[in-house]
Amino acid sequence: MTATIDTTPDLAPVSDAKALREAFSCFPSGVVAVCCLRGEGDSTTLIGMAASSFTTVSLDPPLVSVCVQNTSTTWPQIRTAPAIGVSVFAGDQTDVCKQLAGPAERRFDGITPLSTDAGAVFVPDAAAHLSCSIHNEIQAGDHTVVLLEINTLRADPGVEPLVFHASTFRALEARKGPNAT
């Protein structure tokens, strides 16, 4: 069979930052909280941030990745923690996600987080909780790709996740009927 080729698509140069952001926004991404406890006793501090570039990587070893802007002032505080909590936001946690992306001093206002003895911190009612340690960090342009090894976890696949797509938060919709896959 011979392929027929129509005209060349109207492509924008990669130097067009707006076009690049728009292209990246076409791919939906999971949204997570990345959190830990720092300090001990009365000087314990909750550190956390939201990340919208989260993906699964490997079953053996169990790895996930998150991309962190190199300008982040929160990541340097989290990266030295013995345990890092990753919470996969539930579909109804848009406000909590926005809060964790806001000013650092207000990120945990009104949130009663869960934590492990090792210091991993989790957002309650999330779709999944992953207690992780850093497996590797890879510099990639203006971000760092952080590979996290999962040590323990809790997941509820019945809870709809929060999704970031086209620069907005969305919920998934289950397909029904004969064409559902």
Side-chain angles (χ1 to χ4, degrees), residues 5-179:
I5 300 176
D6 203 352
T7 60
T8 304
D10 184 22
L11 300 175
V14 73
S15 59
D16 181 346
K18 182 179 180 222
L20 185 59
R21 279 189 192 90
E22 192 171 82
F24 285 175
S25 80
C26 289
F27 186 75
S29 175
V31 190
V32 298
V34 180
C35 308
C36 70
L37 279 176
R38 298 302 312 199
E40 293 181 23
D42 292 339
S43 62
T44 301
T45 305
L46 292 164
I47 308 292
M49 63 184 191
S52 64
S53 53
F54 171 80
T55 190
T56 59
V57 175
S58 170
L59 291 173
D60 187 18
L63 299 175
V64 294
S65 72
V66 64
C67 296
V68 180
Q69 286 183 348
N70 292 338
T71 57
S72 171
T73 56
T74 304
W75 177 244
Q77 298 174 66
I78 294 173
R79 71 179 300 275
T80 58
I84 298 169
V86 175
S87 301
V88 177
F89 285 113
D92 63 355
Q93 292 184 312
T94 300
D95 291 340
V96 176
C97 181
K98 288 179 180 179
Q99 184 174 321
L100 279 166
E105 64 276 1
R106 313 243 11 199
R107 290 184 181 164
F108 289 94
D109 288 359
I111 299 172
T112 304
L114 309 169
S115 66
T116 66
D117 290 341
V121 172
F122 305 104
V123 172
D125 304 317
H129 294 139
L130 313 172
S131 180
C132 303
S133 55
I134 295 176
H135 181 79
N136 198 2
E137 291 179 274
I138 304 150
Q139 293 303 307
D142 59 2
H143 279 66
T144 299
V145 179
V146 181
L147 295 175
L148 295 169
E149 185 163 351
I150 303 167
N151 301 309
T152 57
L153 56 87
R154 181 215 57 84
D156 184 352
V159 174
E160 293 293 328
L162 186 61
V163 176
F164 194 67
H165 174 256
S167 300
T168 192
F169 294 106
R170 301 181 187 267
L172 293 178
E173 179 180 322
R175 293 183 180 199
K176 297 177 182 165
N179 295 328

